[in-house]
């Protein structure tokens, strides 16, 4: 038995004893001294053989089938390409290899590294790297690392090709007339869509990495002479302090790690999949955060009233846009208060105004009214989840089964009454009319709470429930920003802009909530009008 084998066996016995004692295992104790040294290697090894051996320990080379270590000789100088096969751009790397294959010894000696970097590696982006771990990180992110024998510096060639879908209009933010492009799961594509719309040299896109294992690329976007520098610095600092193994779910996990809202159901940031919406917010002074592999972008700071606006309002004339906004407001109000108010009138018929006696149910069901409401609420959520998980060709059939077989038969058998189904349907339409999907779900939970309070305490329950809800939202903050601004604290001019879609040239100043460095949207206008 060899020395290395004895060390492995000894280490295994030692780990077995520790497992029996405290069930805690340190994987590093399973490694020999040589393997541990290779795993902790930070400088690029001297020879190609040592580089390959170190890569075997650090990355699983020759175990993971998609990792490629291609050894070649150019001008009597041994080199090696290291890359992940699924990310490599075959055509680009082939062109580079063909050019290098014609090199002679006198072209790469004596200054080999400089010759390859400045003359012969023909690509638009080549970066020298001296840290071994950094080179590996580049390779696992899609780049190709070019190692040179007896050189302590490697060259990183940005020849990567991420798998991804084509650009298309996002399902949650469709418009009748307007741009049909939307973000995808590739970070570079997303920042390019924003750069296409904002060709300002002061547009800054700072790249960071989050996750000890996933090393997910995160980008902070802002316009340097508009965005609040304190907000940018705070976000940069908080993202840099996130300590987690990874964020494979992208922006949502990053939001929870940075914002930390806990159990608050209301969204603290606005998500958008439309580059035109994101660009408009950046021009108002907002800061945006991209996360690689996520097709949506976070917008900060965000208030409640940011979440109830939709791009369709700005694709129509101001009058039509204002009308659409009020229709949406009515839908959101109905999704929150229609069921609790009707339930209160049913329990207290004396509260019905004259001429509205028909609002009460004509007959009662076999189940208590509150139980009917709760069952229908759960049923609507089940249908929504079923629609998400049902294959597209079967979605219509699933809807017919749910509406006809479940709803109609439940009414005919007397379990539910027609009014419960009708008012629940109106509330569901109002929820789906809410532009922010997360806000619609949060409003549904509030509606359920109001129903329970009305059933338990009647009028005091509704009054106390609505009051607590308003106070709760009023004291909430979204990244140090009042969540209910401009309603709390009240700002008349800004509130007018919320209620009515103003013409674009009437908005001469940026919203004060963003604390923009340059508050003027029309620099040529020298009027000292205060910002809203």
């Amino acid at each position: 038995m060899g020395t290395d084998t004895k060390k492995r066996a000894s280490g295994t016995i030692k780990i077995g004893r520790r497992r029996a004692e405290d069930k805690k295992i340190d994987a590093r104790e399973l490694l020999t001294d040589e393997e541990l040294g290779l795993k902790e290697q930070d400088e690029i090894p001297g020879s190609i053989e040592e580089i390959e051996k170190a890569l075997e320990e650090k990355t699983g080379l020759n175990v993971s089938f998609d990792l490629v270590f291609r050894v070649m000789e150019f001008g009597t100088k041994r080199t090696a390409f290291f890359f992940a096969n699924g990310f490599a751009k075959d055509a680009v790397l082939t062109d580079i290899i063909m050019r290098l294959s014609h090199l002679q010894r006198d072209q790469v000696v004596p200054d080999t590294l400089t010759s390859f970097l400045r003359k012969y590696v023909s690509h638009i982006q080549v970066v020298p790297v001296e840290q071994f771990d950094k080179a590996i990180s580049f390779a696992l992110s899609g780049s190709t690392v070019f190692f040179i024998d007896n050189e302590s510096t490697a060259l990183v060639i940005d020849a990567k090709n991420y798998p991804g879908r084509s650009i298309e209009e996002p399902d949650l933010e469709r418009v009748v007339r307007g741009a049909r492009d939307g973000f995808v799961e590739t970070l570079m594509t997303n920042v390019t869509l924003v750069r296409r719309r904002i060709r300002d040299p002061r547009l800054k896109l700072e790249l960071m990495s989050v996750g000890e294992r996933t090393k997910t690329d995160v980008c902070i976007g802002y316009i340097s002479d508009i965005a609040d520098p304190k907000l940018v610095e705070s976000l940069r600092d908080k993202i840099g302090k996130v300590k987690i193994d990874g964020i494979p779910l992208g922006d949502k996990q990053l939001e929870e790690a940075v914002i930390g809202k806990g159990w608050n159901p209301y969204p603290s940031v606005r998500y958008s999949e439309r580059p035109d919406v994101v660009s408009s917010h950046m021009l108002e002074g907002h800061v945006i955060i991209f996360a690689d592999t996520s097709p949506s972008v976070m917008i900060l700071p965000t208030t409640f009233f940011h979440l109830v606006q939709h791009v369709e309002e700005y694709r129509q004339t101001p009058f039509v846009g204002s009308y659409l906004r009020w229709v949406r407001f009515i839908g959101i109000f109905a999704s929150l208060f229609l069921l609790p108010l009707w339930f209160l009138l049913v329990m207290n018929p004396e509260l019905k105004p004259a001429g509205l006696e028909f609002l009460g149910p004509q007959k009662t069901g076999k189940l208590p009214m509150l139980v009917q409401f709760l069952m229908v609420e759960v049923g609507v959520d089940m249908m929504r989840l079923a629609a998400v998980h049902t294959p597209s060709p079967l979605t219509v059939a699933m809807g017919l089964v749910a509406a006809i077989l479940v709803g109609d038969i439940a009414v005919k058998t007397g379990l539910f009454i027609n009014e419960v189904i009708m008012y629940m349907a109106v509330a569901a339409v109002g929820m789906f009319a809410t532009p922010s999907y997360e806000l619609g779900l949060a409003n549904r939970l509030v509606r359920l709470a109001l129903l329970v309070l009305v059933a338990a305490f009647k009028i005091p329950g509704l009054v106390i429930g609505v009051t607590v809800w308003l106070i709760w939202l009023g004291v909430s903050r979204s990244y140090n920003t009042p969540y209910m601004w401009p309603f709390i604290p009240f700002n008349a001019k800004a509130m007018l802009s919320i209620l009515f879609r103003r013409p674009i040239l009437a908005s001469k100043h940026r919203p004060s909530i963003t604390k923009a460095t340059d508050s003027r949207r029309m620099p040529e206008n020298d009027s000292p009008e205060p910002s809203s």
Side-chain angles (χ1 to χ4, degrees):
M1 184 180 292
T3 303
D4 290 348
T5 306
K6 290 180 179 178
K7 288 182 179 180
R8 287 180 182 273
S10 176
T12 304
I13 294 173
K14 186 186 298 184
I15 291 302
R17 291 173 180 172
R18 175 168 295 186
R19 179 184 299 147
E21 293 173 0
D22 56 8
K23 304 296 183 181
K24 294 182 180 179
I25 301 175
D26 185 358
R28 298 167 66 87
E29 295 186 13
L30 293 172
L31 303 176
T32 65
D33 294 338
E34 180 184 3
E35 292 170 337
L36 187 59
L38 291 172
K39 210 166 188 64
E40 294 179 347
Q41 178 83 34
D42 191 35
E43 296 180 354
I44 295 177
S47 66
I48 295 296
E49 289 76 13
E50 291 175 349
I51 292 173
E52 184 175 10
K53 186 178 294 185
L55 288 174
E56 288 177 351
E57 293 298 329
K58 280 180 171 288
T59 67
L61 179 65
N62 298 326
V63 175
S64 299
F65 76 95
D66 64 324
L67 297 181
V68 179
F69 189 75
R70 178 80 162 91
V71 180
M72 302 189 74
E73 186 173 309
F74 302 116
T76 69
K77 199 70 177 178
R78 296 186 70 209
T79 64
F81 292 92
F82 177 60
F83 55 90
N85 197 13
F87 290 143
K89 272 189 177 179
D90 297 347
V92 174
L93 292 179
T94 301
D95 289 342
I96 293 174
I97 291 174
M98 289 181 63
R99 177 177 173 82
L100 296 179
S101 63
H102 293 89
L103 295 179
Q104 301 300 321
R105 184 179 185 278
D106 58 344
Q107 293 177 287
V108 295
V109 175
D111 198 351
T112 304
L113 179 65
T114 303
S115 299
F116 278 119
L117 175 61
R118 298 184 178 179
K119 296 181 180 179
Y120 305 123
V121 179
S122 54
H123 191 65
I124 59 175
Q125 188 171 347
V126 182
V127 180
V129 174
E130 297 181 355
Q131 294 83 20
F132 197 36
D133 285 340
K134 191 174 182 180
I136 292 174
S137 179
F138 274 116
L140 298 180
S141 298
S143 299
T144 298
V145 182
F146 183 57
F147 294 104
I148 306 171
D149 196 25
N150 296 323
E151 291 287 349
S152 60
T153 301
L155 300 181
V156 176
I157 306 170
D158 188 22
K160 54 178 174 281
N161 182 29
Y162 287 134
R165 59 186 174 92
S166 60
I167 296 174
E168 57 189 12
E169 185 178 14
D171 291 333
L172 293 179
E173 297 178 272
R174 291 186 178 275
V175 293
V176 176
R177 190 186 307 277
R180 304 296 177 184
D181 56 347
F183 293 129
V184 294
E185 288 75 16
T186 306
L187 177 62
M188 186 57 66
T189 302
N190 293 343
V191 298
T192 304
L193 290 173
V194 174
R195 177 76 74 177
R196 181 183 180 187
R197 286 171 167 80
I198 303 179
R199 303 176 184 181
D200 189 341
R202 287 154 295 206
L203 171 62
K204 309 299 181 183
L205 298 166
E206 299 184 12
L207 189 64
M208 304 179 70
S209 179
V210 175
E212 187 68 24
R213 295 183 181 273
T214 62
K215 292 180 171 59
T216 304
D217 290 330
V218 174
C219 175
I220 303 175
Y222 59 95
I223 302 177
S224 58
D225 61 339
I226 296 179
D228 180 14
K230 294 182 179 179
L231 174 61
V232 176
E233 181 62 30
S234 176
L235 285 171
R236 187 189 298 123
D237 183 62
K238 284 199 172 184
I239 293 175
K241 291 182 178 178
V242 173
K243 302 300 181 184
I244 191 172
D245 58 347
I247 51 171
L249 299 183
D251 50 8
K252 187 57 185 176
Q253 287 182 316
L254 181 64
E255 177 203 342
E256 293 184 9
V258 173
I259 307 300
K261 294 293 288 184
W263 293 96
N264 187 349
Y266 276 88
S268 53
V269 301
R270 179 178 181 179
Y271 287 101
S272 179
E273 298 182 34
R274 295 187 62 93
D276 51 358
V277 172
V278 169
S279 301
S280 298
H281 280 79
M282 293 184 73
L283 291 174
E284 291 182 350
H286 294 265
V287 179
I288 62 174
I289 300 178
F290 300 88
D292 194 25
T293 72
S294 295
S296 53
V297 172
M298 288 187 284
I299 302 173
L300 289 166
T302 297
T303 67
F304 180 89
F305 295 100
H306 280 116
L307 302 170
V308 298
Q309 298 181 35
H310 192 269
V311 66
E312 180 67 22
E313 300 161 4
Y314 295 90
R315 290 291 182 179
Q316 306 297 331
T317 63
F319 187 87
V320 176
S322 299
Y323 166 75
L324 294 177
R325 181 172 293 184
W326 274 96
V327 170
R328 186 169 286 110
F329 286 164
I330 293 172
I332 296 172
F333 184 88
S335 68
L336 272 169
F337 302 115
L338 180 62
L339 290 183
L341 286 173
W342 182 78
F343 189 26
L344 181 63
L345 293 178
V346 171
M347 296 181 64
N348 300 270
E350 67 277 4
L351 297 177
K352 295 180 185 178
L356 296 181
E357 292 80 4
F358 63 90
L359 288 177
Q362 304 301 319
K363 59 181 180 179
T364 59
K366 296 180 180 179
L367 297 175
M369 193 77 69
L370 179 62
V371 175
Q372 294 183 42
F373 278 127
L374 297 179
M375 290 183 65
V376 174
E377 289 274 10
V378 174
V380 170
D381 276 332
M382 290 179 63
M383 287 189 290
R384 179 180 58 83
L385 294 175
V388 171
H389 302 303
T390 302
S392 298
L394 302 178
T395 302
V396 176
M398 188 278 300
L400 292 174
V401 170
I404 298 177
L405 296 183
V406 178
D408 187 53
I409 294 178
V411 171
K412 290 182 178 179
T413 56
L415 292 177
F416 298 151
I417 60 175
N418 290 317
E419 286 85 351
V420 169
I421 301 296
M422 183 188 71
Y423 288 113
M424 185 63 231
V426 174
V429 170
M431 187 192 74
F432 293 129
T434 305
S436 171
Y437 180 70
E438 295 82 3
L439 179 63
L441 292 178
N443 287 342
R444 163 165 286 187
L445 296 177
V446 172
R447 181 174 70 234
L448 287 172
L450 292 178
L451 284 172
V452 174
L453 289 174
V454 168
F457 305 106
K458 299 184 179 180
I459 296 178
L462 181 63
V463 173
I464 294 174
V466 173
T467 303
V468 171
W469 174 70
L470 287 175
I471 294 176
W472 176 33
L473 293 182
V475 299
S476 297
R477 302 183 73 83
S478 171
Y479 213 85
N480 203 30
T481 299
Y483 195 62
M484 290 299 288
W485 183 90
F487 181 62
I488 303 174
F490 187 73
N491 186 314
K493 186 177 179 181
M495 195 66 197
L496 189 65
S497 298
I498 296 294
L499 298 177
F500 301 98
R501 206 283 267 180
R502 301 173 64 188
I504 184 64
L505 295 181
S507 302
K508 299 179 181 180
H509 290 80
R510 309 183 204 280
S512 61
I513 196 67
T514 61
K515 300 178 183 177
T517 304
D518 182 5
S519 63
R520 298 173 302 169
R521 304 201 68 167
M522 299 180 185
E524 70 279 5
N525 188 354
D526 296 328
S527 61
E529 183 180 352
S531 61
S532 60

